[in-house]
Every structure is written in C-alpha cells, then in structure tokens.
Amino acid sequence: MIERYETAAMRDIWSEENKYRTWLDVELAVCHAWAEEGLIPIEAYESIRKKAFFDIDRIKEVESKVHHDVIAFVSCVAASVGEWGRFIHLGLTSSDVLDTASALLLRQSLGIILEELAILYEEVLKKAFLYKYTPCIGRTHGVHAEPMSFGLKLLNWHSQLKRSEERLILAKKQISYGKISGAAGTYAHCPPSIEEKACAFLGLKPAPISNQILQRDRHAFLILSLALLGSTLENIAQEIRHLQRTEVLEVMEPFASGQKGSSAMPHKRNPILCERICGMARLLRGYALSAMENVALWHERDISHSSVERIIWPDVFHILHYMIALLINIVGHMEVNAEKMIKNIELTKGLIFSQRVLLALVEKGMDRDEAYEAVQKYALECWNEKGTFKDMLTSDPIVSSLLSAEELQGFFDVSYYLRFVDDIFDRFK
C-alpha cells in the first residue's frame, strides 16, 4: 500500500516482521503438538521455543538462492535452534504454514475493522437521534419526492453498517481455520491429531477437509464482505457529496482551517474526502473480483492465487481501515444546514404534497384515475411556475367541491410525514 493510504495498525499486522513472526508461531505450535504426541522430546521443544528466531535479511539472502520464501524461512529458523532444528517443519508442506498463518493475520486485521466499524455506526446512530425530527426532502431519481427526516436518512446508514458487521462476523468465523494436512490433504506425514492440537494452540479450528490449501471460497467471502462494506461507505459518502452540491447545500463535509479547495478558484469547497471514499470503494470491488478468481485452482492446488493474495489482502485492509476512519471524521464533524433543508422542501411550491391530495380526493369518492389526472394537471402547471400548487387546487371547482380550504391547508403539513419517526427509531434502541 502506498504511504498516503496506509494505517499504522494494518502496517504492523502486514509487515514482514509480523508475517515471519506468525509463521514461527505456527511452526512452534506444530512442534508443541509433536512433543505432546511424544515424537519430539519435550526438552527439544522447550529448546526450540526458547531459541527459535529469524533474521529478515538472512531470509532474503537465502531466498535469493533457493527462490522459495518458506524454505528460506525454515532454514534460517532451524539454524537458530541448533541440533534440534531438524524438528522444525516436521511433516509439513509450505501451505500448512502459510494458510494457517494467513488465517491469523486475516483475523487480526478483521478484528481492527470490526472495532472501527462499531465506532462508525455508533457515531452515525448518535447523529441520527440528534436529527431525528429535522425535516428534509426525500429524493427519488434525484427528484424531490416527499418530506422525511434527516435522522431517518442517517438511521438507514446505521442499519446498513450493522448488516455489514453481521456479514463480517460470519466471515471471521469462516476464515478462522487452519490446516496441517500435508501436500494433498491426506495427513500422510502428519496425523490429524497434530493439526487439532496445533490449531487449538493458535486459537483456530482445524479445517474439516483440505487439500494442499484451505479452499479460497473462505477468503473470497471475506473480501466480498469487506468490499460490500466499502460500497456501503461509498453510499454514505456519495449522499453527502450530493447534499453538498451548491444547488442543494444541506450537508457539508468538514473543511479544515487553512484548507484550500482549488488551486485556481479560491471560493471552492469541494467534497474531496467523500470523493476519496467513493474512489477507494472501486478498488475494493476490483479486489473482490480477484478474490473470486482465486477460488478455482488446478487440482489440489496451484500457485496462481499466491501473488494475488500478497497484494490484495494487505491492500484491502489498509484501504478499508482508512475509509472507515475517514468517514468517522466526516460524520462526526459534518455541517448540517437545517434551514436550507426547509428552503428546499418549499422549493417546489407544494408539489411534494401531491399524494396526500390524490388520496383525499379518492377517499371523497372520486375515481382514482380522474383524481390523478386532476392533481397531475396542476402539478405540471406548478412545475412551469404558474403559481403555487395549493392555490391552483383551491381554484379548481371540482377539487374545491370535495375538499374545503381548511382541509387542503392541512394536507400541506410537513409534520404529517414525520408522525411515525418514533416508531422507526424504536426499532434501534
């Protein structure tokens, strides 16, 4: 990941140091299991546990000759142990170490994402309650529809984020598996009891079945779930971008002191943070496709997935962690213009109350098609700025014969559309 979008937490997890440390954890867990089975002397295991270490520069030096990173790692660790080094990697194939260690790295990363996600959806929920009764216009197809509350918009974001959490919790369960089953998954050189013990030491479950690797549908589901969360973050960011447009100007993302929006136009205040989130979501969806391509491998395993995973796994977590942190800041400090929301509700001169008038005419006995035609006629005239919608309806003899001026006035009340807001919010207590 380029430095611009790195996060410290993900950098620590996906560092070379932590990668080899996690590989060593797997090797030590297997040695521990062999010791409990009696194949390795307990004193040998204790010596291995105390002495085993790695030197990254030395690993790279060996790898430059053997062109195999796991062999280079095992050779270096074995040399650090001395006479008992022959028990390092006993009965294992490279993927036993790689896939089991990857499960630990992915789980560590996902734990951070879940922690940050909880902060985000709680911040969104807090703002939803703050703007629970703040009226704004609801838009469909980008066109004014009917009044709603800004709090409901935020509550919908909160609900989306909670669903993402549910998917990620399931994904965490599905990737929390290790495999110590050998080159073709037959346990020929390392019995299932070793896998069970080693995985237990590492806090993982043994895969019920594997071949040379853990099947990549597990990992694809994780990356898909992360990409879907990214799309939810994009949905929120894109809405804020729309609401920040000059013609709308209901919500604005934070703008730091001394910040400049354009090199040419000093007046510009662009939604660059939200645009960044939208751009990064595209990367996540691309990585999701790569993860799905990794599912179909030749026979018991080929290596075509390996180069892909070396790139997409750390990148996905860096990107998503960055996006979540950015959106926490945006939601926490966004400027909400309630007065502009009211002005925008009034922008169409009452057109947004057309459905109430339509239903009232139908309730008075008017044929629905006729009522629709009558209401739409004045709506279109109102679009053409020939007067207010209410005045036009009042002047119509048929409408006025069915609805009194007082009744018509009542249909243009924004509070009518907010009367069930409490009921909806009660679902999220």
Side-chain angles (χ1 to χ4, degrees):
M1 173 52 60
I2 63 174
E3 185 178 350
R4 185 182 184 92
Y5 303 125
E6 275 189 339
T7 70
M10 293 305 170
R11 185 170 59 245
D12 289 344
I13 290 175
W14 294 99
S15 67
E16 289 283 278
E17 174 75 25
N18 193 53
K19 178 184 76 172
Y20 291 129
R21 186 185 305 118
T22 308
W23 288 9
L24 183 56
D25 288 341
V26 175
E27 293 283 5
L28 292 177
V30 173
C31 287
H32 190 181
W34 280 121
E36 286 203 347
E37 291 281 302
L39 190 64
I40 294 179
I42 192 66
E43 62 270 22
Y45 165 67
E46 289 298 333
S47 178
I48 291 170
R49 184 177 63 82
K50 292 176 182 178
K51 293 182 178 180
F53 74 92
F54 55 86
D55 179 273
I56 294 177
D57 291 335
R58 176 57 182 158
I59 292 172
K60 290 180 179 179
E61 182 183 346
V62 175
E63 186 182 356
S64 69
K65 298 176 182 177
V66 301
H67 301 288
H68 195 295
D69 55 355
V70 176
I71 290 176
F73 168 79
V74 171
S75 297
C76 292
V77 172
S80 74
V81 171
E83 63 173 314
W84 303 119
R86 68 183 185 277
F87 292 126
I88 301 293
H89 208 65
L90 184 65
L92 305 185
T93 190
S94 298
S95 292
D96 291 328
V97 178
L98 293 174
D99 278 13
T100 305
S102 292
L104 296 171
L105 296 174
L106 292 169
R107 194 171 64 177
Q108 289 174 38
S109 302
L110 189 50
I112 291 173
I113 294 296
L114 285 167
E115 289 175 5
E116 291 289 296
L117 178 58
I119 294 171
L120 175 59
Y121 68 63
E122 288 298 336
E123 182 64 32
V124 171
L125 184 62
K126 182 173 71 175
K127 286 297 175 70
F129 275 94
L130 179 62
Y131 297 108
K132 184 178 182 180
Y133 303 114
T134 301
C136 68
I137 188 63
R139 297 173 176 88
T140 57
H141 306 274
V143 178
H144 286 203
E146 289 186 340
M148 61 179 293
S149 93
F150 186 59
L152 285 178
K153 189 186 295 281
L154 291 161
L155 192 63
N156 214 333
W157 298 351
H158 169 78
S159 184
Q160 282 183 271
L161 293 168
K162 287 291 288 182
R163 287 195 297 278
S164 283
E165 181 184 55
E166 292 170 5
R167 285 187 288 268
L168 291 180
I169 289 172
L170 176 58
K172 187 177 181 181
K173 291 179 180 178
Q174 292 198 356
I175 54 97
S176 292
Y177 284 83
K179 63 86 59 184
I180 311 290
S181 58
T186 62
Y187 301 98
H189 311 290
C190 189
S193 59
I194 297 299
E195 180 184 65
E196 291 173 9
K197 285 187 168 78
C199 285
F201 294 147
L202 296 167
L204 299 172
K205 294 180 180 179
I209 186 171
S210 59
N211 41 37
Q212 190 171 94
I213 61 169
L214 290 168
Q215 298 306 290
R216 260 40 192 180
D217 63 291
R218 295 179 184 274
H219 308 82
F221 179 70
L222 169 63
I223 304 304
L224 283 165
S225 298
L226 293 169
L228 192 51
L229 170 56
S231 294
T232 292
L233 303 182
E234 180 187 21
N235 183 42
I236 296 170
Q238 182 167 266
E239 180 68 12
I240 295 173
R241 287 173 61 195
H242 280 307
L243 297 178
Q244 186 163 330
R245 286 184 297 128
T246 306
E247 296 82 1
V248 180
L249 216 57
E250 294 179 359
V251 178
M252 299 185 79
E253 69 173 37
F255 197 77
S257 175
Q259 183 175 338
K260 292 178 173 59
S262 166
S263 64
M265 297 167 284
H267 73 277
K268 294 280 279 179
R269 181 172 172 176
N270 303 324
I272 60 168
L273 304 181
C274 289
E275 288 172 342
R276 194 179 304 161
I277 289 171
C278 292
M280 298 179 98
R282 298 171 190 171
L283 287 172
L284 292 178
R285 288 191 288 274
Y287 287 152
L289 178 59
S290 299
M292 287 189 288
E293 295 284 354
N294 279 349
V295 174
L297 301 174
W298 285 24
H299 305 299
E300 276 55 64
R301 184 244 182 156
D302 64 60
I303 202 172
S304 61
H305 65 291
S306 176
S307 55
V308 179
E309 291 168 354
R310 288 173 191 264
I311 296 170
I312 70 172
W313 285 355
D315 271 17
V316 163
F317 283 105
H318 270 293
I319 290 169
L320 197 54
H321 191 206
Y322 181 95
M323 290 171 71
I324 295 172
L326 193 58
L327 195 54
I328 289 171
N329 176 56
I330 292 170
V331 173
H333 298 94
M334 65 183 178
E335 299 174 23
V336 178
N337 191 337
E339 291 183 6
K340 190 63 190 297
M341 290 178 178
I342 294 296
K343 288 181 180 179
N344 286 339
I345 286 175
E346 297 169 348
L347 189 64
T348 55
K349 301 178 181 179
L351 283 179
I352 57 178
F353 303 101
S354 65
Q355 184 174 189
R356 286 208 70 193
V357 178
L358 167 65
L359 294 176
L361 291 173
V362 171
E363 289 172 6
K364 293 289 186 177
M366 197 173 184
D367 178 77
R368 181 180 175 87
D369 287 341
E370 291 178 2
Y372 194 102
E373 186 176 342
V375 173
Q376 187 183 45
K377 170 189 172 183
Y378 293 116
L380 294 175
E381 290 183 8
C382 186
W383 273 115
N384 293 325
E385 300 183 353
K386 293 184 177 179
T388 68
F389 188 49
K390 183 173 62 176
D391 289 345
M392 291 178 183
L393 291 169
T394 303
S395 65
D396 183 271
I398 297 178
V399 173
S400 60
S401 69
L402 295 173
L403 301 172
S404 68
E406 185 178 351
E407 285 177 306
L408 266 176
Q409 179 64 38
F411 298 147
F412 289 75
D413 181 8
V414 171
S415 64
Y416 175 84
Y417 296 86
L418 307 184
R419 68 194 198 280
F420 293 118
V421 165
D422 284 335
D423 297 77
I424 299 172
F425 268 81
D426 284 345
R427 300 167 184 168
F428 292 87
K429 286 184 176 179

